[in-house]
């Protein structure tokens, strides 16, 4: 994700609490990542979910218009509907304009300074 | 987090990959959340880290000035330094202006429609 262009670009911050209902969730999540990656203006995605079921997915886009087009995608709509009926207890979605970005990476290999 | 004010407000998206070094990481993370919550312009925080060590923390702020002040906080600086020396393999930090927000929550209790 350090390969994103220089800001400005846009982020969709999707914070969700999973239910205990599986019902194809993993396949859907994988499919949405794959599908999003093929959309115009897609720049990248980052995702994490903890053991408590709270997850954050941030997808990055060139423009608000690209985000709106992805929002209207038929298969994405179906996933959204199933999200509401089965997978999520609650979620929040935020659209934000990224104004600054800074990446840092460890230079040397060893992760343990005592090693 | 559905108690945030109406946009616009600001988000700091911090995406990080943990090393295997503990060295007080949990205490620091807890302390930073506590400390941030007392800063001017702080609105809230959401955080998730998966079993693979990739984590996303999004904190929300009233203005870029509030974010800059938090960045300069002495104890936060120390945590940042230790993050680089010990806790993180790499990280990305993005500052974004939240333009739209939408929250959804399940109305009824049962999470399992078959129950």
């Amino acid at each position: 994700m350090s390969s994103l262009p220089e800001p400005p670009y846009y982020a969709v911050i999707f914070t969700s609490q999973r239910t205990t209902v599986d019902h194809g969730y993993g396949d859907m999540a994988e499919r949405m990542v794959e599908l999003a990656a093929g959309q115009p203006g897609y720049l990248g995605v980052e995702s994490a979910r903890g053991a408590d079921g709270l997850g954050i997915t941030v997808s990055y886009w060139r423009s608000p218009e690209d985000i709106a087009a992805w929002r209207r995608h038929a298969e994405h709509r179906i996933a959204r509907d199933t999200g509401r009926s089965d997978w999520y207890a609650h979620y929040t979605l935020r659209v934000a304009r990224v104004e600054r970005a800074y990446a840092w990476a460890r230079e040397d290999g060893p992760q343990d300074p005592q090693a």
Side-chain angles (χ1 to χ4, degrees), chain A:
Chain A
M1 293 301 300
S2 44
S3 60
L4 292 187
E6 286 296 302
Y9 50 83
Y10 283 79
V12 178
I13 307 167
F14 180 71
T15 306
S16 64
Q17 180 67 51
R18 283 276 282 117
T19 60
T20 54
V21 179
D22 187 86
H23 194 202
Y25 173 75
D27 288 347
M28 175 285 296
E30 208 170 296
R31 173 67 181 147
M32 285 304 114
V33 166
E34 182 187 295
L35 200 59
Q39 303 306 303
Y42 170 89
L43 301 176
V45 69
E46 295 168 333
S47 200
R49 187 172 303 277
D52 60 355
L54 184 79
I56 303 176
T57 296
V58 189
S59 60
Y60 297 99
W61 302 84
R62 194 180 44 195
S63 75
E65 292 71 29
D66 295 322
I67 293 170
W70 168 232
R71 186 178 156 73
R72 289 190 302 266
H73 190 289
E75 208 173 328
H76 188 197
R77 280 175 191 261
I78 293 169
R80 200 155 56 223
D81 289 347
T82 316
R84 294 185 186 212
S85 65
D86 293 11
W87 295 316
Y88 299 121
H90 56 81
Y91 64 74
T92 306
L93 188 143
R94 295 183 174 91
V95 177
R97 183 178 186 270
V98 177
E99 303 188 339
R100 294 195 299 115
Y102 170 79
W104 175 86
R106 187 172 297 276
E107 279 185 25
D108 49 346
Q111 297 190 342
D112 184 345
Q114 314 304 330

